[in-house]
Amino acid sequence: MPEIAEIARAVHFLRLHFVGKVIKHAEAIDDGNVFGKVGTDGPKMATDLIGKKIVSAGTQGKYFWMELSKAPHLVMHFGMTGWIHIKGERTAYTNYYKKMKPDELDKWPPKYWKFKIETEDGDEMAFTDPRRFGRVRVVDCPGEDIRKYSPLVENGPDPVVDLDVFTEDYLREKMKSRRVPIKALLLDQAVISGIGNWVADEVLYHAKLHPEQYCNDFSDAEMKQLYESIRYVCQTAVDKLGDSDQFPDDWLFNYRWGKGSKNAHSHTPNGDKLAFLTVGGRTSCYAPARQKKTGQIVSSVKKEPLESAEEKDSPKKAPGTKGAKSDNKSEELEADGSEVKPERATSRKRKIKIEEDGEVTFTTNNAKAHPSKKPTRSQYFVDAKKPKRDAGQTEETKVDISGRRRSGRLQSKAA
């Protein structure tokens, strides 16, 4: 999902090519998701744009807008895959174009376009969104007050734009008044606008803080370090316009991708081993040796260490031998961050034993029936009685692992 740096990049190009120009033509697709879910009529919006001048373009976290010479104004969100394209200009970051087919690079209008405009000077812009999680709103208000209206008013301060609001004291107050994992607090757009998954992980990596430690369980010194890391990461990413090719070499961003692939990095250049934490479906990349817990963390955190190509290809020792590693790549952590000792599985594969008298017994590996005790759910017995048969006939009985009894053909006994 485009985050604070990518949004700043899009607004940079809007200011460069469209601010101060008059819209000559506009067109929009009637998309029930991109427009309809926020009460916008796409085709009507396009009609209303014609003849208006683009006065300014602004950004607040993951939202951006175009202020027009007359209300209503456009407020946009990229969702997962939205983007702004300008004809004849490569507005996106490098990896964006790597995923496109050669015949799509210069196609106009671009694939998956939702609305497009053309100015009197001939500049053309299109909003695209393949997955349709993006949103385009029209906000009827004075242009200078656009941030006082929904959806911008519900969002927290931008850590690059709103330095008068986003201060160290502001962050400390938010952290002490809540009890959620610090990663969750950073992702809360009502607290801070613009921080998404990769930015949050980058911030915590530089601050040397554990991503799942409770936000109110840090010292004042750690909170100060976190504020400085937020400012450093966000400002640097915005200054580079979200171009990851220009990010510093020591950033986690350069090594966090490709989880599970052969080319995935398992360490940073300085030797920090990388791992992933998963809580409630949210995944965090971090360096355990660098980001040690100093307070309580959430319970039921799953830790998934990354393996290098050499570690994956190296022969594994047999279970139970010295130095052998468990095949289970996920490790449960207690609330204090310590590993949970693996427990024996409560269920075992059933064993089927056919007695000479025709009784079929289902049991488990660790089932130990005792005459004085009732059998548990894992210790039960099914009595398959022999069917009656005529003299001179025998029955072939087949038993499968589901416990069902299947009879074969009746065969005549040899005379």
Side-chain angles (χ1 to χ4, degrees):
M1 173 185 287
E3 302 180 28
I4 186 170
E6 292 86 355
I7 304 306
R9 183 181 184 88
V11 171
H12 164 79
F13 283 103
L14 288 177
R15 289 170 176 166
L16 191 63
H17 294 279
F18 289 90
V19 170
K21 298 181 179 180
V22 176
I23 300 172
K24 180 181 72 173
H25 176 75
E27 186 178 351
I29 293 174
D30 188 14
D31 190 301
N33 283 1
V34 175
F35 300 111
K37 286 197 172 181
V38 288
T40 305
D41 183 321
K44 183 180 185 303
M45 176 203 76
T47 301
D48 292 341
L49 291 176
I50 298 174
K52 292 182 179 179
K53 183 178 180 180
I54 302 174
V55 176
S56 68
T59 176
Q60 180 183 337
K62 297 182 182 181
Y63 281 97
F64 66 104
W65 64 87
M66 290 196 301
E67 179 189 347
L68 304 172
S69 55
K70 183 181 178 181
H73 313 281
L74 295 187
V75 177
M76 293 162 277
H77 191 289
F78 280 145
M80 295 293 292
T81 57
W83 195 249
I84 288 289
H85 295 267
I86 296 175
K87 189 174 184 180
E89 182 80 70
R90 293 291 175 88
T91 59
Y93 36 94
T94 307
N95 286 335
Y96 186 95
Y97 294 108
K98 288 181 180 179
K99 300 175 183 179
M100 297 179 69
K101 297 178 181 178
D103 60 337
E104 294 177 351
L105 291 174
D106 299 315
K107 182 180 179 182
W108 197 265
K111 194 175 182 181
Y112 306 116
W113 70 275
K114 301 305 173 185
F115 82 88
K116 57 182 180 176
I117 62 175
E118 181 182 356
T119 68
E120 292 179 346
D121 293 353
D123 293 302
E124 294 186 57
M125 181 270 285
F127 181 103
T128 65
D129 187 7
R131 297 185 64 183
R132 302 169 65 213
F133 288 113
R135 300 291 181 261
V136 178
R137 292 171 168 86
V138 289
V139 180
D140 193 356
C141 69
E144 62 273 14
D145 294 334
I146 196 167
R147 296 188 64 181
K148 297 178 181 179
Y149 288 78
S150 185
L152 301 178
V153 70
E154 290 92 4
N155 283 259
D158 184 300
V160 172
V161 176
D162 301 318
L163 297 184
D164 57 330
V165 179
F166 183 71
T167 63
E168 185 180 330
D169 289 338
Y170 171 87
L171 180 63
R172 183 182 294 107
E173 188 276 328
K174 292 295 183 183
M175 292 177 68
K176 290 186 174 182
S177 63
R178 303 275 296 276
R179 184 167 177 78
V180 296
I182 186 58
K183 172 76 176 284
L185 185 80
L186 294 178
L187 295 177
D188 187 344
Q189 300 302 296
V191 177
I192 309 173
S193 288
I195 296 181
N197 203 50
W198 80 258
V199 172
D201 286 349
E202 194 69 50
V203 164
L204 293 170
Y205 175 77
H206 288 279
K208 299 181 181 180
L209 303 181
H210 195 288
E212 297 303 336
Q213 184 169 323
Y214 286 109
C215 63
N216 63 346
D217 210 11
F218 290 101
S219 67
D220 286 344
E222 289 172 322
M223 292 180 183
K224 177 181 177 63
Q225 181 59 53
L226 177 61
Y227 173 78
E228 292 174 352
S229 296
I230 293 173
R231 285 286 301 119
Y232 163 67
V233 171
C234 292
Q235 188 68 62
T236 303
V238 167
D239 289 345
K240 302 298 182 183
L241 296 178
D243 187 352
S244 58
D245 291 343
Q246 298 184 41
F247 288 171
D249 292 337
D250 64 342
W251 274 27
L252 178 68
F253 182 96
N254 300 312
Y255 313 100
R256 60 169 289 136
W257 309 108
K259 176 186 173 185
S261 68
K262 186 175 182 180
N263 298 323
H265 295 278
S266 61
H267 296 77
T268 60
N270 62 9
D272 288 336
K273 186 175 178 63
L274 301 181
F276 285 91
L277 292 176
T278 303
V279 177
R282 184 182 67 253
T283 301
S284 302
C285 181
Y286 82 124
R290 177 186 177 93
Q291 298 169 252
K292 297 179 180 179
K293 60 184 182 297
T294 59
Q296 190 176 13
I297 69 169
V298 215
S299 59
S300 302
V301 180
K302 286 189 176 181
K303 182 175 69 174
E304 304 172 49
L306 282 178
E307 292 181 339
S308 63
E310 292 77 10
E311 291 172 329
K312 289 180 179 179
D313 296 337
S314 61
K316 295 183 179 179
K317 296 184 180 182
T321 61
K322 186 176 181 180
K325 293 182 179 181
S326 172
D327 290 334
N328 184 9
K329 295 183 180 179
S330 296
E331 301 176 9
E332 291 287 339
L333 302 182
E334 296 285 9
D336 62 356
S338 61
E339 295 180 7
V340 176
K341 294 181 180 180
E343 300 177 356
R344 296 186 64 182
T346 56
S347 61
R348 297 286 187 267
K349 291 184 178 180
R350 300 175 191 173
K351 283 185 176 181
I352 300 176
K353 182 180 178 183
I354 303 178
E355 306 289 354
E356 292 181 359
D357 60 359
E359 185 183 77
V360 182
T361 302
F362 298 90
T363 184
T364 61
N365 286 356
N366 59 350
K368 294 182 180 180
H370 192 279
S372 63
K373 295 182 179 180
K374 294 182 180 180
T376 63
R377 293 183 65 183
S378 63
Q379 301 169 349
Y380 56 93
F381 305 93
V382 177
D383 184 16
K385 296 181 179 180
K386 292 182 180 180
K388 295 181 180 180
R389 56 180 179 270
D390 297 332
Q393 289 183 324
T394 62
E395 181 186 37
E396 293 180 355
T397 303
K398 300 179 182 179
V399 181
D400 63 15
I401 61 172
S402 65
R404 293 191 297 271
R405 182 174 179 275
R406 298 182 298 179
S407 297
R409 296 180 305 172
L410 292 176
Q411 298 177 342
S412 299
K413 185 181 293 185

